[in-house]
Amino acid sequence: MTVFRGLILIAAAALAACSPNAPTAQFHSEDNPRLLSEWGQLGIVAGDLQLADGVVPYDLNTPLFTDYALKLRTIWMPSGETAAYRENDTLDFPVGTVITKTFYYPLADTPGQVTRGDGHSLTRADGSLDLSRVQLIETRILVHREAGWEALPYRWNDDQTEAVLLRYGDVVPMTVAEADGGASTFNYVMPDVNQCASCHAPDSNTRQIAPIGPKPRHLNRDFDYPDGTANQLEYLTEVGYLTGAPVPADAPRNADWEDLEASLEARARAYLDANCSHCHSPVGPADTSGLNLQPDIAHGPALGICKLPIAAGSGTGDRRFDIFPGRPDESILLFRLDNVEPDQMMPEVGRSTNHVEGIELIRAWIESLPGDCG
């Protein structure tokens, strides 16, 4: 399989080199290009969004919710560079690494409208997207430079031909086609660079920007590559982008929050991990809350069970405990997830709408918890 995969990668590189306007991946060590195309990670070729040679798509077991947007995630490293495996942390990526995340929606039949993404990517096995089926919104870049990581948001134009750096973010009005034939609207909020840092600085002591998605427990899953389905940790190792990884069975793995064959506990904890734990950890930006939503925290006050709020303010919704076992409607956690008011919602940035299915998952989990807070 390794030899076959190598041959496929060589063939794909040859085809990409022959394609007109094919992107060529670049690392910019200091300047921040105005145009996304100057990074060369992905580009528009014959009506498709295509990845450059060496740019590897990936996915997460349970992703962060962002207003039902679908996401194309990629990793690229300069030739000869590789990341080191870290069991409970983001992979140790070398200087020169470029990580992208492109947000898009499926197009509805009615012009000017989109549909909510159901969580299942529309990308092909090679990471390309058919632009006749989707509306691109933004591409966020995380680039690892000598001084550390930097986050840069790029907004796609209406023609879907180019994305432009918008350091101050943007507000994108969206019209969503509903199943009953009607339509609803909301404002998709593209974060500015400071808001990017509010999530991507998971250690409040250093305040250094870092990736939060590509951890082993999120990456340990299969992906449908052009040359066949493979575990992502194994694939990254085979293409030279990762060293030191154990066999997948020995690596941590989060559940897929939609996998009904997984336990309710595993699904709910994976959802809270992906959406909350980068802030709610002992060193995260929300460390003053005393709430730790990392997946290995035992049931108890640290996880929020029967814990009194410390500094939630109006975000308590007049509820007494972060998690009241068996009583989701009396739990602050559910109140904040099921909210879009700026001083009450959680997460504080990254969404303008409620994740109905995610809320129902957490509701069911809290209902299943034994015990009583008295």
Side-chain angles (χ1 to χ4, degrees):
M1 175 62 76
T2 302
V3 174
F4 179 67
R5 180 166 292 142
L7 293 174
I8 290 290
L9 289 174
I10 293 171
L15 287 173
C18 295
S19 300
N21 305 317
T24 301
Q26 307 280 337
F27 166 58
H28 294 269
S29 61
E30 296 180 353
D31 61 313
N32 296 324
R34 176 176 174 271
L35 301 179
L36 179 65
S37 59
E38 295 179 65
W39 288 95
Q41 304 294 313
L42 38 80
I44 308 301
V45 181
D48 289 345
L49 181 69
Q50 293 189 4
L51 306 186
D53 177 36
V55 175
V56 176
Y58 71 96
D59 210 345
L60 308 177
N61 281 313
T62 291
L64 175 73
F65 171 74
T66 310
D67 290 331
Y68 291 98
L70 298 176
K71 301 166 189 178
L72 165 61
R73 301 171 176 85
T74 71
I75 297 171
W76 175 82
M77 300 176 209
S79 177
E81 299 291 346
T82 188
Y85 179 84
R86 295 193 292 195
E87 178 99 334
N88 296 309
D89 200 353
T90 303
L91 303 181
D92 189 8
F93 292 103
V95 170
T97 301
V98 180
I99 297 175
T100 78
K101 184 161 60 172
T102 298
F103 297 71
Y104 66 94
Y105 287 91
L107 287 173
D109 294 334
T110 303
Q113 296 184 5
V114 300
T115 62
R116 292 183 179 89
D118 61 2
H120 301 287
S121 173
L122 296 180
T123 58
R124 304 184 182 102
D126 61 358
S128 64
L129 275 170
D130 179 354
L131 296 184
S132 68
R133 300 180 61 198
V134 304
Q135 178 179 340
L136 305 175
I137 305 296
E138 62 165 321
T139 294
R140 301 176 193 174
I141 278 185
L142 277 175
V143 54
H144 195 188
R145 292 168 167 159
E146 289 288 350
W149 290 90
E150 187 167 354
L152 301 169
Y154 287 80
R155 169 80 164 92
W156 283 92
N157 61 19
D158 292 340
D159 294 334
Q160 307 281 269
T161 57
E162 182 62 270
V164 179
L165 178 63
L166 291 183
R167 299 184 66 90
Y168 300 103
D170 200 7
V171 176
V172 186
M174 305 293 298
T175 302
V176 180
E178 301 291 357
D180 61 5
S184 61
T185 61
F186 76 95
N187 287 328
Y188 178 101
V189 179
M190 177 180 166
D192 59 37
V193 292
N194 291 328
Q195 289 171 319
C196 290
S198 70
C199 285
H200 282 279
D203 189 328
S204 59
N205 297 312
T206 66
R207 299 301 299 162
Q208 292 181 343
I209 291 177
I212 55 178
K215 297 179 175 70
R217 64 179 182 266
H218 300 313
L219 294 172
N220 190 4
R221 54 162 288 165
D222 286 347
F223 191 94
D224 293 329
Y225 298 99
D227 47 328
T229 300
N231 179 276
Q232 291 184 138
L233 295 176
E234 289 185 325
Y235 187 87
L236 290 171
T237 299
E238 287 189 22
V239 300
Y241 274 8
L242 179 61
T243 59
V247 296
D250 293 336
R253 181 183 183 275
N254 267 11
D256 176 347
W257 75 279
E258 294 184 291
D259 181 7
L260 297 181
E261 294 186 3
S263 70
L264 178 59
E265 169 79 9
R267 294 167 59 217
R269 296 297 296 272
Y271 185 87
L272 293 174
D273 182 20
N275 286 275
C276 311
S277 74
H278 49 278
C279 285
H280 285 282
S281 76
V283 298
D287 57 349
T288 56
S289 71
L291 183 63
N292 188 344
L293 296 176
Q294 293 182 312
D296 57 345
I297 299 303
H299 284 204
L303 184 60
I305 297 176
C306 297
K307 186 184 84 63
L308 296 170
I310 294 175
S314 63
T316 65
D318 294 324
R319 289 149 174 83
R320 290 187 299 155
F321 302 105
D322 287 354
I323 297 176
F324 200 137
R327 304 186 191 181
D329 290 322
E330 297 180 43
S331 300
I332 296 170
L333 177 66
L334 190 69
F335 172 75
R336 304 201 75 170
L337 287 174
D338 192 10
N339 207 310
V340 292
E341 295 299 323
D343 62 339
Q344 297 175 346
M345 63 185 284
M346 282 290 172
E348 295 178 316
V349 297
R351 67 177 180 91
S352 301
T353 61
N354 285 336
H355 189 196
V356 175
E357 298 81 3
I359 291 167
E360 288 308 306
L361 170 66
I362 301 305
R363 173 183 293 278
W365 175 63
I366 295 175
E367 285 180 340
S368 76
L369 295 176
D372 193 337
C373 298

